[in-house]
Amino acid sequence: MDELFLIKQCKLHQRLAQKRLYEELYPAAYRLSRRYVTCSHDAEDVLISAFIRVFRHLESFEYRGEGSFQKWVNTIVIHECLRFLSRYKPVIVEEDIS
């Protein structure tokens, strides 16, 4: 399906279009999130938040040609990763093993 058509359908809250768009974007978004968040479970949690943000703010997206939507989604995923990392700093336990 055409990306622009899917975006327009998603703006009309068509669930099947949202599902299709999610399925098309998920693999690349997952790989991107794993570059920032090393744990796969945390990366999936970040993606859930990112896609919620994508669909909530879809009305503000302006189509500017092929690839502009993917770039917009990638920006949201990166921001969600950075939010996650700023909230959940890893705990490092140093233990003297003698």
Side-chain angles (χ1 to χ4, degrees):
M1 240 184 243
D2 179 47
E3 181 181 73
L4 185 56
F5 176 75
L6 274 177
I7 293 167
K8 287 180 182 178
Q9 292 298 308
C10 289
K11 286 183 177 183
L12 296 173
H13 304 290
Q14 297 294 319
R15 295 289 183 202
L16 290 176
Q18 290 173 342
K19 182 178 186 251
R20 176 76 186 258
L21 195 63
Y22 172 82
E23 289 171 349
E24 286 184 12
L25 296 172
Y26 183 85
Y30 180 75
R31 285 190 304 272
L32 179 61
S33 69
R34 283 300 304 267
R35 290 181 189 164
Y36 289 86
V37 181
T38 55
C39 175
S40 63
H41 297 293
D42 291 339
E44 289 173 3
D45 290 344
V46 166
L47 281 184
I48 290 169
S49 299
F51 276 105
I52 288 171
R53 190 172 295 271
V54 165
F55 288 117
R56 275 196 186 141
H57 298 285
L58 198 55
E59 293 297 324
S60 67
F61 171 72
E62 291 180 29
Y63 189 78
R64 296 183 180 163
E66 191 72 31
S68 63
F69 186 67
Q70 182 69 48
K71 184 176 185 250
W72 185 72
V73 171
N74 287 349
T75 302
I76 291 173
V77 170
I78 290 169
H79 284 238
E80 283 300 315
C81 288
L82 295 176
R83 271 190 209 98
F84 174 83
L85 292 172
S86 70
R87 282 186 304 222
Y88 301 105
K89 296 182 180 172
V91 176
I92 300 172
V93 178
E94 293 185 21
E95 196 172 309
D96 184 26
I97 302 176
S98 303

